[in-house]
Amino acid sequence: QVQLVESGGGLVQAGGSLRLSCAAPGRTFSSYGMGWFRQAPGKEREFVAAISWNGGSTVYADSVKGRFTISRGSAKNMVYLQMISLKPEDTAVYYCAADSILYGLAQRDQAEYDYWGQGTQVTVNS
């Protein structure tokens, strides 16, 4: 069972930046597609960004396009979400997810992901 661990969340003022990290301790997921999702209080979990197994393809939700960047580490054992120009509406718990398909694609659909982290809280004050 792959366990994903997110870090890097916190409290930031509107317009600020944060970088979230996702790791799978003791395991590599370099052949998996990865994604970030978020869930705000009282709302459904929603797609944020995804990256293919080799980093060659990325997709973003319209609400974050141009402000968030998903990337893989040089060893492809880490996945990052760089967030700039943060807005209060970005406040949510952010989850990292991985699929289990060899040479996985960048997927928007939560149903494509088999492994999830516990989440990290991002709070943006106005």
Side-chain angles (χ1 to χ4, degrees), residues 92-115:
V93 177
Y94 283 70
Y95 298 91
C96 176
D99 68 23
S100 59
I101 305 300
L102 190 63
Y103 308 133
L105 304 176
Q107 304 276 10
R108 295 176 179 268
D109 187 349
Q110 296 184 47
E112 299 292 339
Y113 294 90
D114 302 291
Y115 308 107

Side-chain angles (χ1 to χ4, degrees), residues 35-105:
W36 286 96
F37 293 80
R38 67 187 182 186
Q39 187 167 21
K43 295 188 177 181
E44 298 288 323
R45 188 164 60 187
E46 64 176 5
F47 169 75
V48 175
I51 190 166
S52 60
W53 73 278
N54 63 353
S57 177
T58 57
V59 292
Y60 296 91
D62 288 343
S63 60
V64 307
K65 201 173 294 184
R67 300 187 299 120
F68 291 11
T69 303
I70 188 171
S71 62
R72 305 189 79 117
S74 58
K76 297 187 174 60
N77 204 36
M78 296 287 293
V79 174
Y80 304 100
L81 185 68
Q82 178 68 51
M83 307 184 293
I84 65 171
S85 303
L86 283 160
K87 305 174 181 180
E89 51 264 44
D90 294 318
T91 295
V93 177
Y94 283 70
Y95 298 91
C96 176
D99 68 23
S100 59
I101 305 300
L102 190 63
Y103 308 133
L105 304 176

